[in-house]
Amino acid sequence: MNNRSLFRALVIGALVLVGAAAIATGAYNWGLAQGIAESGRAMAAPPAGTPYVYVWPRPWGVGFFPIFPLLFLFLFFFLVRGIFWRGPWRGGYGYRCGGVPPSFDEWHRRAHEAERQAPRSSAGSA
């Protein structure tokens, strides 16, 4: 990547960030204006004798609640791992000669040479 394309990538990245910030600011202001407009409505008091319910509804129940944050934590970990750590399938471990270590390649070549030199015997004849 030369300096010209690096500069273009940085400029495009900066423009994307500025655009995202402008959209986020507009959405926030729009939501704020909507909230102010809705808060101006008068709320009627509940009729006398209406019981107040002291229950906080949990969307996933009691047992499943701790599982979902852990799943998101694992998802984040694997995404970061995939971005920053490179495995052999992405050219990370340094074997450039066909994807195998040189010692394995030498052993494989010798095994086929020994196979060619060994006499073949027919198993069916007595």
Side-chain angles (χ1 to χ4, degrees):
M1 194 181 255
N2 58 14
N3 288 340
R4 183 180 234 174
S5 60
L6 180 65
F7 179 72
R8 284 182 185 166
L10 290 175
V11 168
I12 289 173
L15 287 175
V16 167
L17 287 176
V18 168
I23 290 171
T25 303
Y28 175 77
N29 288 333
W30 187 26
L32 188 64
Q34 180 70 22
I36 291 172
E38 289 291 323
S39 69
R41 292 185 182 181
M43 288 184 56
T50 305
Y52 186 76
V53 181
Y54 292 100
V55 176
W56 179 259
R58 297 182 67 166
W60 299 296
V62 176
F64 294 111
F65 184 69
I67 294 173
F68 287 108
L70 288 175
L71 290 177
F72 287 119
L73 183 68
F74 288 141
L75 175 68
F76 177 74
F77 173 74
F78 284 119
L79 287 176
V80 169
R81 181 181 183 267
I83 291 171
F84 291 113
W85 295 329
R86 296 175 53 173
W89 55 91
R90 294 173 68 186
Y93 292 153
Y95 300 130
R96 302 288 186 233
C97 57
V100 296
S103 58
F104 177 78
D105 199 27
E106 178 67 21
W107 173 83
H108 188 252
R109 186 183 56 79
R110 287 182 186 175
H112 283 289
E113 283 179 359
E115 186 179 280
R116 281 188 224 130
Q117 293 173 358
R120 295 185 179 177
S121 62
S122 60
S125 62

